[in-house]
Amino acid sequence: MEQLITRENVAEAVQAIQQKAPGFVPQVAIELGSGMGEMAAGIQDAVVIPYEDVPHMVPSTVQGHAGRFILGTLSGKRVICMQGRLHAYEGNSAQQIAFPVYVMRELGAPTLVVTNAAGGIEPSYQVGDVMLISDHINLQGMNPGVGVENGFGPRFYDMTHAYDPELRKLARDVAQRQGLGVHEGVYIGLLGPSFETPAEIRAFGIWGAQAVGMSTVQEVIAANQLGVRVLGVSLISNPAAGVCDEPLSIDDVIKAANVAAGNIWHLIEGVVAEL
Ligand code: HPA
C-alpha cells in the first residue's frame, strides 16, 4: 500500500497552495458535500486552486463536486474550503480521502467543518432537515491511519469526542438564533456507491444511527489524529431505503441538497463568525 500521508508529501502540497496564496493562514477549514458546492460563491476575495494543481491530490470525479480549494474570507475569518470531496466509492484510498485534511491543518486551520448529504434513517426526519453530527459509525472498512506510522500524531488516538461538543453547542445556539431547527444524531458512513437495502437501514437504526451517507468518516478520523476540532453537519436529502417506499436516486439527493444548502451555509456563516 502506498504511504501517501507523509511529512514530505503534505509539505509539497502546502507549498503549492502557499505559492498561490502567499501568507494565507486559514482559521477554519470547510468541506462541502453533495449539492452544496455552489455555496462557496459566498467566499470573498477568493483564490481558487483546482485539486489537480496540488501535488498528491487526486481530482474529484463526482457529479456535484467541483474538485478545488477556495481560499478567502467568510464572516470576517480566513477560510479554506474544499469545493467537492473525495469518496471511497471513486476508488480512492482512505489516505487519499484524508490527505487534504492534513494539508489544511499544516496550512494552519485548527477547526474543520464537514458537511454532507445523508439519508434519514430516523423516520421523523424530513427532506431538507439539518442534523448536527454527534458521532459516527465507520462502516467503510478503511482508516487513513493504516500503513506505516505517519508521525502527524499518535498512532492510537481517542475518538470519544470525534465531533467537538463545544462546537456543536455553538452551532445549536447559532441555529436557534437563526430560527433554524436542527437535529442531533449519529452518522453512519458506508462505502457506496449502491444505496443501502431496507434490511441494512433497519439494522443501522437498531445500532443507533439516525443518518446514512458515503463520506465524512475518513476525514473526521484524520482530523482527530491532528487534534483538529470538528463540526459535522448533515443535510437530510432523502428518507433512507425502506423508510418510505420511494426508490432512491442521486438526482433527488442533489436536488434536495441544492434546495436546502442555503440553510446549512447560513448556519456555517454564523458559526464561523463566532470562532
Ligand atoms: N444513502 C447513502 N448515502 C446517501 C444517501 C443515502 O440514502 N443520501 C445521500 N447520501
Side-chain angles (χ1 to χ4, degrees):
M1 195 192 70
E2 193 206 342
Q3 183 66 31
L4 179 70
I5 298 169
T6 63
R7 285 272 168 205
E8 202 173 37
N9 289 351
V10 171
E12 281 171 17
V14 165
Q15 206 172 37
I17 293 173
Q18 283 174 337
Q19 258 165 23
K20 306 223 158 136
F24 187 92
V25 178
Q27 294 160 288
V28 188
I30 302 170
E31 191 178 28
L32 292 176
S34 296
M36 297 176 215
E38 295 303 314
M39 296 297 122
I43 296 173
Q44 288 128 34
D45 308 319
V47 175
V48 176
I49 308 175
Y51 295 161
E52 293 92 277
D53 294 353
V54 178
H56 312 291
M57 282 288 296
V58 289
S60 171
T61 65
V62 190
Q63 179 191 359
H65 287 262
R68 49 199 206 166
F69 290 106
I70 299 182
L71 290 72
T73 309
L74 183 73
S75 304
K77 300 278 163 41
R78 291 181 304 279
V79 300
I80 179 165
C81 180
M82 289 182 71
Q83 193 183 32
R85 63 148 54 80
L86 307 164
H87 301 84
Y89 63 71
E90 294 172 82
N92 295 314
S93 68
Q95 290 197 20
Q96 284 172 322
I97 297 166
F99 185 76
V101 176
Y102 290 84
V103 172
M104 295 189 292
R105 176 68 192 107
E106 285 295 293
L107 280 165
T111 303
L112 173 67
V113 179
V114 287
T115 69
N116 58 48
I121 298 175
E122 161 58 44
S124 66
Y125 286 6
Q126 306 285 316
V127 170
D129 281 1
V130 174
M131 185 189 90
L132 304 177
I133 304 176
S134 57
D135 205 347
H136 78 214
I137 298 172
N138 172 15
L139 212 67
Q140 295 188 329
M142 57 207 292
N143 187 305
V146 173
V148 301
E149 209 168 337
N150 64 32
F152 279 93
R155 178 57 146 171
F156 304 100
Y157 50 93
D158 185 50
M159 292 283 290
T160 305
H161 298 297
Y163 298 80
D164 188 80
E166 280 176 28
L167 273 183
R168 201 154 66 248
K169 175 166 188 330
L170 173 62
R172 255 195 329 262
D173 292 347
V174 170
Q176 192 174 27
R177 264 181 268 145
Q178 293 179 344
L180 176 71
V182 292
H183 306 292
E184 267 190 52
V186 173
Y187 175 91
I188 184 163
L190 274 82
L191 209 46
S194 55
F195 288 112
E196 303 69 36
T197 64
E200 288 167 339
I201 293 300
R202 280 193 302 276
F204 301 154
I206 292 167
W207 288 0
Q210 280 76 43
V212 58
M214 306 174 192
S215 69
T216 303
V217 293
Q218 302 304 321
E219 298 93 307
V220 172
I221 290 169
N224 275 264
Q225 187 192 25
L226 293 162
V228 167
R229 297 198 306 162
V230 176
L231 173 67
V233 188
S234 288
L235 168 72
I236 304 303
S237 57
N238 57 281
V243 173
C244 77
D245 234 2
E246 294 287 302
L248 302 185
S249 101
I250 188 64
D251 292 334
D252 292 345
V253 166
I254 290 176
K255 245 183 257 163
N258 281 333
V259 169
N263 283 340
I264 287 196
W265 188 250
H266 190 45
L267 175 61
I268 292 173
E269 282 179 321
V271 169
V272 167
E274 301 202 18
L275 287 176

